[in-house]
Amino acid sequence: MLNNQTILITGGTGSFGKKCIEMIFESFQPKKIIIFSRDEFKQSQVKLLFQKKLKESQMARLSFFLGDVRDQNRLYRAFNGVDYVIHAAAMKQVPACEYNPTEAIYTNIHGAMNVIDAAIDQGVKKVVALSTDKAVNPINLYGATKLTSDKLFVSANGYLKQEGPIFSVVRYGNVAGSRGSVIPFFTKLIETGADALPITDYEMTRFWITLEEGVQLVFKALEESKGGETYISKIPSFKIIDLAEAMAPTLLTKEIGIREGEKIHEVMITMDDSRNTYEYDKHYIIYPNFEWWDFDKCFTPGGKQIECGFEYSSGKNSEWLDVKALREKIKQLEMGF
């Protein structure tokens, strides 16, 4: 699929981007991988990292392009000759988005519009945009901007006729072990001798997905998407209180109250979306509900329509990780690097 193809990753210096680079080189022979991001220091760090991890011939196919998704002209230059785009660039920190709403809008919404326009005009084959559980029934500005971004990428397929890029979305929650997630946070507290682990709410649950699983879902979207799909992995849930016990069984926990913009449970599929959702062996697909979407041409075979009213929530999941299972998962976990 990606052999002899040029792939561009926006925001590619984060945990996802670095894992994606690694897995592309493990499975494919790309013509080129372009990392498009605005932080030259992070780009230099990633370059040094992969000079140690990759062969010289692979490093020759990895390039770095400074730019911001807010800058449409820069995107047009970067997308020239690109076959596939993985759009990972975003403002992601909930408090930062709450206190800097216009900045989040410029990056997450205007940036998405720029990516769509550049992909169409530069003849990109496919674009996969990363979404988040926070875009589902959003209660914070970050979620609202990502919901808008998702809608833009899905609707972009309606602009096109026979030619042009295929746009799809991949949705998942916080990645286990990624920077800024709860496991590295707990790990740091344990290592620095904390006498208790803070829990925002004892009822809180989350989905468990690894960086590798997140990248694999993107690969699936790149391979089979026909336009407008939203892909969601079928993954287990866990309780935050069980995670704390798995990581530090001798430490106390302290309930500190929910933070601004935080949810008790992650939701990936709403009851309203269930009527357009199909279940596959390892994932779900939410299909568009537009007149331009053709079921016969665009439906991926093998799916079974889920029951109307179904909600895919970490608090209502059928698969759970208990304390013992979490302990084993953590041992195998590759932290975001």
Side-chain angles (χ1 to χ4, degrees), residues 99-203:
Y99 287 105
N100 303 277
T102 54
E103 296 301 301
I105 291 167
Y106 290 148
T107 296
N108 296 354
I109 297 177
H110 293 180
M113 295 167 63
N114 290 337
V115 166
I116 290 166
D117 288 340
I120 292 172
D121 293 342
Q122 293 290 59
V124 171
K125 295 176 183 177
K126 281 191 179 183
V127 178
V128 173
L130 301 193
S131 183
T132 169
D133 66 286
K134 296 170 185 66
V136 182
N137 291 337
I139 62 170
N140 53 55
L141 188 79
Y142 169 53
T145 60
K146 291 301 287 182
L147 170 63
T148 305
S149 173
D150 292 356
K151 296 290 188 181
L152 287 167
F153 279 104
V154 170
S155 295
N157 293 278
Y159 304 158
L160 310 170
K161 300 300 180 184
Q162 297 300 321
E163 298 179 357
I166 289 170
F167 298 93
S168 62
V169 174
V170 163
R171 178 184 295 159
Y172 48 79
N174 291 325
V175 175
S178 63
R179 291 182 303 167
S181 63
V182 66
I183 294 176
F185 174 63
F186 280 176
T187 299
K188 185 175 181 180
L189 290 176
I190 294 165
E191 291 175 349
T192 54
D195 56 5
L197 295 180
I199 309 292
T200 54
D201 191 292
Y202 283 150
E203 298 299 317

Side-chain angles (χ1 to χ4, degrees), residues 205-257:
T205 65
R206 289 293 182 263
F207 286 108
W208 180 280
I209 188 169
T210 64
L211 279 169
E212 182 175 2
E213 290 170 329
V215 174
Q216 289 287 4
L217 189 62
V218 169
F219 286 172
K220 174 165 282 293
L222 285 172
E223 181 178 13
E224 70 177 33
S225 60
K226 299 176 182 67
E229 303 95 332
T230 300
Y231 290 79
I232 299 115
S233 286
K234 294 168 69 174
I235 45 181
S237 295
F238 66 95
K239 297 178 180 179
I240 297 296
I241 191 69
D242 287 344
L243 178 69
E245 183 178 347
M247 295 184 67
T250 61
L251 283 186
L252 299 173
T253 59
K254 179 174 62 175
E255 192 173 38
I256 60 173

Side-chain angles (χ1 to χ4, degrees), residues 21-36:
I21 295 168
E22 182 181 299
M23 290 178 63
I24 289 174
F25 278 121
E26 284 176 355
S27 302
F28 304 99
Q29 295 292 325
K31 181 178 181 180
K32 183 188 290 186
I33 300 176
I34 303 169
I35 303 305
F36 181 95

Side-chain angles (χ1 to χ4, degrees), residues 217 220-221 224 229-235 269 277-287 300-304 306 312:
L217 189 62
K220 174 165 282 293
E224 70 177 33
E229 303 95 332
T230 300
Y231 290 79
I232 299 115
S233 286
K234 294 168 69 174
I235 45 181
I269 302 171
T277 302
Y278 285 73
E279 180 179 5
Y280 295 80
D281 286 344
K282 295 182 179 180
H283 66 284
Y284 298 98
I285 297 179
I286 303 174
Y287 287 103
T300 299
K304 177 183 178 182
I306 63 174
Y312 191 41

Side-chain angles (χ1 to χ4, degrees), residues 43-53 59 64:
Q43 286 196 1
S44 67
Q45 287 183 311
V46 173
K47 187 173 183 179
L48 288 172
L49 172 70
F50 280 105
Q51 283 175 340
K52 300 175 183 178
K53 297 172 73 73
M59 275 303 300
F64 297 85

